[in-house]
Amino acid sequence: MSPPRSLARLQFHAGFTLDDAVGVVDYYARLGVSHLYASPILRARAGSTHGYDVVDCHQVNPEIGGEDALRRLVAALRERGMGLIVDIVPNHMGIGPENAWWTDVLRHGRESRYAQYFDIDWQSPDPLLRGRLLLPVLGAGYDATLREEHLHLVRRRGEWALRLYDDHLPLSPASVRDLGDDAEARHDPSTEEGRARLHELIERQHYRLAFWKLASDMVNYRRFFDVNELAGLRIERHVVFEDTHATVFRLYAEGLIDGVRCDHVDGLADPRGYCRRLRHRLERLRTRRPPGAPRDAAYLVVEKILAEDEPLRTDWRVDGTTGYEFMDQVSAVLHDEAGEGVLTGLWRDVTGDAADFATQAVRARRQILVDSFESELDRTARALFVAARADVASRDVSLAGIRRVLVELLVHFPVYRTYAGGMGRDAFDEAIFSRAVEGALRTVRGEDADLLHLVAGWLGGEPLRALPPGPARRARARAIAVFQQATSPVAAKAVEDTAGYRYGRLLSRNEVGVDAARLALSTDAFHARCAERASTFPHTLLTTATHDHKRGEDLRARLAVLSEMAGRWTAAVDRWRERHAPFRQRAEGRLAPSAADELMLYQMLVGAWPLDLTPTDEEGLERFASRVAAWQRKALREAKRWTRWTSPNEPYEDACEDFLRAMLSGEAATELYAFAQYLAAPGAANGLAQTVLRLTTPGVPDLYQGSDDWDFSLVDPDNRRPVDFTRRSASLAQDRPLADAVVTWRDGSVKQGVIRALLCLRKTHPELFARGDYRPLAAVGPASGRVLAFVREHRGRKLLVAVGRHLAPWLAGEAAPTVPAARWAGTTLELPEGEWRAVLAGGRLDGGRVDVARVFDGLTVGVWVSG
């Protein structure tokens, strides 16, 4: 059972528990899935809908059923020969009263046994924070919070505590040692004297309370991105690694899980060291697994965003990534490069902004550093300053100078992070730094140019082992780690969560792990990436939908069609903008929505329009409007132009929602509906091509919950809505031939049928998919550019895959995603010798020159096996 043949991702929470999953095991088994793939299962904060805010690493979350339910789920899986992969969160924990480790740190400060578990800077330059922890948990300023009596000294469970709103904070033993029975009255915040005593008591704690908005400027613990409620762990310390992974290791040793997906590996101080240690520990536990549990190597993948041409290091000893790079590649190969110029021109003409995506990303990075990461920037600068002061040769360098050049390096940093260690940077990281320095030299002060080169050298350009042991080496090592941990959250917030919501040339290319500057990918480039994957990470995960995606996989596939009909789209947008001008309102001194926000809204409306929604369905239109309105409000705040999470501009947001709702009524709704229908069939063909490529190219396919049907979901929480498994199971039971299912394609059964056919094929021929080589197959003839094909082979067994692409000229406005054979006339494929059997349709083929129409056999995708 290792590596997995395929994974099916499920999101667990109180509304969908491990016992609920027992009820869908049979469905996934019939579909052909080999492993379920669980969101984090350790105890998270109460009410968590995602599980990434773990508060207790030693307990399976009772809200999702606890360990007893986990055992019931695994028993059901084993009965069907299936396994379980779980998501783990080594980078951070949820903090607050539910986290006993965090509470102990608040009570005992640096003397807590858990003080070194969390990545806390106890040496703050702020004298009020030195040796204390900043808690940015107040809804207003400290003085106002105190005067408004939101802070009280209370007796709780036999101990003195500080009540803040509805939570309780621990008090240090020394501060409460002399409190008497009248302490509550003496510390009553409703009186001047009581308030003064309460303030004095609070000042004696190991933490300092602060307004939540001060976190970005002052917080002295490493956060997950800019989320105050998630604190970074020092997982590089042996005791922290073992304690946080104890339950995961036990579950693996007991045969309850078969592998792990490591969340946000780039947040760790030493990702390579962590992954190798994790692999080593799992390997040692293999022999302890009970009969009935697979003894093969544990499956191990990491969540990692790879830039174009960035390699995943082979010495990490992982099976691969969670597949964002594949999501990028398969999307790009379905886009038409010919539409790039027209779409770019439309965006510039409508918005008046000539900045490309790269420029938008640089602007966003600069803003994000100021808005969200001042404390992280300060921490990194101080780490470098300490390193500089530790060396006589650089003792005259100023903290302010280091901070200036550090800003420019971070602004121009082209990847999520580098991985410099004791030997310095490898060749790839050196090239990355050269690009960052080149960009920074264009914007840094002239007198700081030498310092820029010096700082770049300190950050891994010079091997640490070249320095003599001592303070200088230790300080430099710490500076490198802090810098490398800072670059990935800055990149994620700037690129994914800011620039991606500002630049809207074509939103199908604004996705996690995607460079929106690149619209399309050639078939040759796609083949090259598949072949490389087969030789380096043949078992990496392949995904097209996740719990983090911005747009569902079939929504992106439909929007890709606009790259083929850019002229028609431009004409429609021009017409709509003129016709809908009366719907715009003036809010806070500006028209709402802005031109950019309006253009992106049009894309989302035609891209996400449900297949069964008509303009006369008032209830359906209201549901759709509510979903898109939630996306729109989030998108506006993430863009951080006219509104943002920290200071919402509700008049602007409300005016934008009014505009949206006007679009979904009357003539406007009818025209949007008509355009969405025009895109529907070629969009579905793209969706089927994407599905087939995920299930047949080198790697392990990941099926995100619900995406076995058409997936037109929006950004979270929309992409985490409940899945109707009853309907899916009934559809699967019908076992309709794909030739029939494609006629009623809007019900999703054709996509489900393709998935089942290919997952069952993977089950029948596991070695072919796990170890088969990859060879491109070039079509010849007038429609050759509309075919992507390849052959995989292992020990005489062969797989032929062909998918149609750029089919909008043939399918736009058609009733179904089917292409008449005449369209393919004169276009052929040269098949390897042998007899070929159809997987998706009936019939057989002999090797040699074959008409593409016969390969597709009425569909827009074709899969055949031989041998």
Side-chain angles (χ1 to χ4, degrees):
M1 289 180 62
S2 181
R5 296 190 314 271
S6 57
L7 271 58
R9 169 80 177 202
L10 294 176
Q11 294 294 120
F12 288 102
H13 46 80
F16 187 84
T17 68
L18 295 164
D19 279 319
D20 291 323
V22 172
V24 303
V25 167
D26 182 65
Y27 168 71
Y28 280 118
R30 288 186 291 128
L31 197 63
V33 167
S34 72
H35 288 66
L36 291 188
Y37 167 28
S39 61
I41 62 172
L42 298 183
R43 186 179 166 221
R45 298 177 70 182
S48 175
T49 60
H50 49 76
Y52 289 97
D53 45 0
V54 173
V55 294
D56 185 350
C57 298
H58 295 162
Q59 183 182 20
V60 176
N61 195 349
E63 282 198 352
I64 64 173
E67 191 164 320
D68 287 344
L70 176 64
R71 293 180 180 277
R72 288 190 288 270
L73 173 59
V74 173
L77 290 169
R78 297 299 187 215
E79 285 180 7
R80 293 162 178 81
M82 299 169 68
L84 180 65
I85 308 298
V86 298
D87 203 338
I88 62 173
V89 193
N91 177 69
H92 56 268
M93 290 186 77
I95 55 176
E98 297 172 89
N99 189 324
W101 294 353
W102 184 256
T103 299
D104 197 76
V105 174
L106 299 186
R107 177 176 285 112
H108 298 290
R110 298 183 69 174
E111 300 304 313
S112 167
R113 61 172 295 192
Y114 302 108
Q116 297 304 312
Y117 275 44
F118 298 98
D119 200 348
I120 301 169
D121 181 6
W122 297 101
Q123 301 296 328
S124 172
D126 184 345
L128 293 177
L129 273 180
R130 193 166 298 130
R132 302 170 75 190
L133 181 63
L134 184 82
L135 284 190
V137 294
L138 303 183
Y142 172 75
D143 184 61
T145 303
L146 193 60
R147 290 182 180 278
E148 292 169 8
E149 303 178 34
H150 293 304
L151 287 160
H152 292 270
L153 175 66
V154 296
R155 192 79 174 169
R156 182 171 181 263
R157 297 173 183 170
E159 293 184 336
W160 290 108
L162 183 66
R163 191 179 75 213
L164 170 62
Y165 309 123
D166 294 326
D167 285 334
H168 294 82
L169 298 173
L171 298 171
S172 71
S175 69
V176 298
R177 186 174 296 124
D178 298 326
L179 292 182
D181 293 338
D182 61 346
E184 290 186 51
R186 287 173 54 78
H187 294 78
D188 185 353
S190 65
T191 68
E192 195 73 35
E193 296 82 1
R195 195 159 52 247
R197 291 191 187 96
L198 183 58
H199 168 65
E200 192 223 345
L201 178 67
I202 294 171
E203 287 292 279
R204 295 174 61 195
Q205 302 312 310
H206 295 292
Y207 49 83
R208 181 187 174 194
L209 301 176
F211 183 29
W212 68 270
K213 288 189 177 183
L214 293 177
S216 293
D217 292 337
M218 299 175 60
V219 71
N220 61 341
Y221 58 88
R222 181 172 58 84
R223 302 172 292 174
F224 172 71
F225 293 4
D226 57 353
V227 183
N228 297 341
E229 295 79 16
L230 298 175
L233 291 165
R234 297 193 65 185
I235 208 73
E236 67 275 13
R237 301 188 73 241
H238 177 75
V239 64
V240 182
F241 176 87
E242 290 296 332
D243 210 352
T244 55
H245 289 70
T247 300
V248 171
F249 291 154
R250 179 176 62 80
L251 296 178
Y252 179 70
E254 293 180 10
L256 295 176
I257 64 174
D258 303 301
V260 295
R261 176 254 199 205
C262 301
D263 181 62
H264 190 46
V265 73
D266 276 348
L268 309 183
D270 180 13
R272 174 185 179 275
Y274 168 80
C275 290
R276 290 176 66 87
R277 178 185 290 182
L278 181 59
R279 172 64 76 188
H280 175 70
R281 289 288 282 111
L282 292 171
E283 281 292 296
R284 287 178 58 191
L285 293 169
R286 281 172 62 184
T287 57
R288 292 172 48 186
R289 288 165 65 82
R295 293 289 185 92
D296 300 310
Y299 189 60
L300 173 55
V301 291
V302 293
E303 186 204 30
K304 162 67 184 161
I305 303 296
L306 293 169
E308 185 178 5
D309 298 325
E310 179 183 3
L312 179 66
R313 273 59 172 182
T314 56
D315 64 350
W316 284 15
R317 298 189 68 198
V318 299
D319 289 299
T321 73
T322 52
Y324 289 124
E325 64 276 10
F326 175 78
M327 186 160 67
D328 174 19
Q329 295 157 14
V330 75
S331 168
V333 81
L334 297 175
H335 282 69
D336 190 348
E337 187 178 14
E340 182 170 4
V342 177
L343 292 172
T344 302
L346 172 64
W347 174 255
R348 291 176 176 174
D349 292 345
V350 168
T351 65
D353 188 352
D356 59 14
F357 182 74
T359 302
Q360 293 281 15
V362 167
R363 291 174 181 172
R365 284 173 179 268
R366 195 175 297 280
Q367 180 180 336
I368 283 295
L369 282 172
V370 173
D371 287 356
S372 302
F373 293 108
E374 280 282 359
S375 60
E376 284 79 4
L377 176 61
D378 182 63
R379 183 184 186 197
T380 308
R382 285 191 289 108
L384 285 168
F385 183 58
V386 171
R389 284 293 177 92
D391 190 338
V392 174
S394 56
R395 64 183 299 174
D396 292 331
V397 171
S398 71
L399 176 61
I402 289 175
R403 200 177 193 280
R404 286 194 301 270
V405 301
L406 190 59
V407 165
E408 301 309 316
L409 272 177
L410 288 168
V411 162
H412 294 281
F413 214 69
V415 297
Y416 272 63
R417 72 165 281 171
T418 49
Y419 304 94
M423 297 301 293
R425 296 191 286 261
D426 63 16
F428 184 85
D429 282 352
E430 192 59 47
I432 291 301
F433 255 86
S434 295
R435 289 168 56 191
V437 169
E438 182 181 351
L441 284 171
R442 295 194 296 267
T443 53
V444 77
R445 296 193 328 176
E447 52 267 48
D448 286 336
D450 290 341
L451 179 58
L452 172 64
H453 288 289
L454 190 61
V455 168
W458 292 342
L459 292 172
E462 304 162 359
L464 286 174
R465 295 177 183 178
L467 296 174
R473 182 195 283 191
R474 289 195 298 272
R476 186 83 62 82
R478 182 61 179 156
I480 292 171
V482 170
F483 174 80
Q484 293 185 149
Q485 286 177 292
T487 57
S488 57
V490 171
K493 295 301 294 182
V495 178
E496 294 173 26
D497 294 339
T498 304
Y501 286 100
R502 290 181 177 180
Y503 183 77
R505 177 178 65 182
L506 192 57
L507 292 181
S508 47
R509 297 298 295 147
N510 292 22
E511 192 51 82
V512 180
V514 172
D515 180 3
R518 183 182 64 183
L519 184 73
L521 187 70
S522 70
T523 54
D524 287 345
F526 180 82
H527 287 313
R529 284 160 174 76
C530 289
E532 180 184 14
R533 194 164 65 246
S535 64
T536 55
F537 289 99
H539 310 312
T540 191
L541 210 56
L542 307 180
T543 192
T544 47
T546 75
H547 62 285
D548 277 336
H549 68 234
K550 310 299 184 186
R551 277 156 280 275
E553 61 181 44
D554 295 304
L555 194 166
R556 296 194 307 271
R558 184 190 291 175
L559 283 181
V561 177
L562 296 182
S563 67
E564 301 180 65
M565 52 176 61
R568 189 184 186 98
W569 174 242
T570 297
V573 168
D574 290 342
R575 183 171 64 253
W576 294 343
R577 293 196 71 243
E578 181 178 358
R579 183 177 299 169
H580 303 151
F583 298 152
R584 302 187 196 105
Q585 303 175 38
R586 189 161 292 278
E588 300 294 298
R590 71 180 72 257
L591 281 178
S594 70
D597 294 334
E598 182 179 354
L599 181 50
M600 287 189 278
L601 174 62
Y602 289 146
Q603 293 180 55
M604 291 300 289
L605 288 171
V606 300
W609 194 285
L611 289 167
D612 60 351
L613 177 64
T614 65
T616 58
D617 181 357
E618 293 185 3
E619 290 186 6
L621 286 172
E622 174 57 32
R623 288 193 299 270
F624 184 46
S626 296
R627 290 177 55 218
V628 178
W631 162 82
Q632 183 185 56
R633 200 163 293 250
K634 180 170 184 174
L636 294 172
R637 293 183 181 183
E638 294 286 9
K640 306 171 189 67
R641 284 188 291 205
W642 323 124
T643 183
R644 60 186 64 194
W645 293 107
T646 53
S647 53
N649 180 348
E650 293 186 355
Y652 181 80
E653 295 173 356
D654 291 342
C656 288
E657 183 169 343
D658 289 343
F659 183 88
L660 157 64
R661 292 186 178 277
M663 292 297 93
L664 294 177
S665 63
E667 185 178 351
T670 300
E671 200 163 344
L672 287 168
Y673 165 76
F675 202 96
Q677 299 313 300
Y678 192 74
L679 301 177
N686 278 346
L688 292 177
Q690 180 175 246
T691 297
V692 168
L693 293 174
R694 173 166 52 85
L695 293 167
T696 57
T697 57
V700 177
D702 168 24
L703 178 68
Y704 181 67
Q705 62 176 34
S707 62
D708 41 352
D709 196 348
W710 299 118
D711 175 19
F712 297 101
S713 60
L714 312 178
V715 73
D716 65 281
D718 190 77
N719 60 13
R720 304 175 190 178
R721 288 176 296 158
V723 177
D724 187 348
F725 284 106
T726 301
R727 185 178 70 81
R728 282 165 172 76
S729 184
S731 172
L732 192 68
Q734 291 182 11
D735 194 20
R736 298 173 63 201
L738 290 178
D740 295 339
V742 75
V743 176
T744 60
W745 64 276
R746 291 172 183 269
D747 64 10
S749 59
V750 65
K751 183 180 180 184
Q752 184 188 55
V754 167
I755 291 171
R756 176 177 57 181
L758 296 182
L759 288 181
C760 290
L761 183 68
R762 295 181 71 94
K763 184 176 182 179
T764 305
H765 304 297
E767 294 298 305
L768 174 60
F769 289 94
R771 295 175 172 80
D773 61 11
Y774 182 97
R775 300 195 306 275
L777 201 61
V780 176
S784 60
R786 303 189 190 281
V787 182
L788 186 158
F790 60 88
V791 171
R792 300 192 65 188
E793 183 174 3
H794 179 72
R795 294 184 177 178
R797 182 81 62 184
K798 295 186 286 289
L799 173 77
L800 164 67
V801 176
V803 302
R805 62 192 286 265
H806 301 171
L807 301 179
W810 297 350
L811 292 178
E814 295 296 322
T818 58
V819 176
R823 293 286 194 182
W824 297 112
T827 303
T828 61
L829 283 169
E830 183 72 33
L831 272 58
E833 291 302 319
E835 184 181 53
W836 294 85
R837 176 180 58 83
V839 176
L840 302 181
R844 296 182 180 273
L845 289 174
D846 290 325
R849 183 65 58 181
V850 177
D851 290 339
V852 166
R854 292 191 63 197
V855 173
F856 287 137
D857 198 17
L859 301 174
T860 56
V861 292
V863 179
W864 299 72
V865 291
S866 175

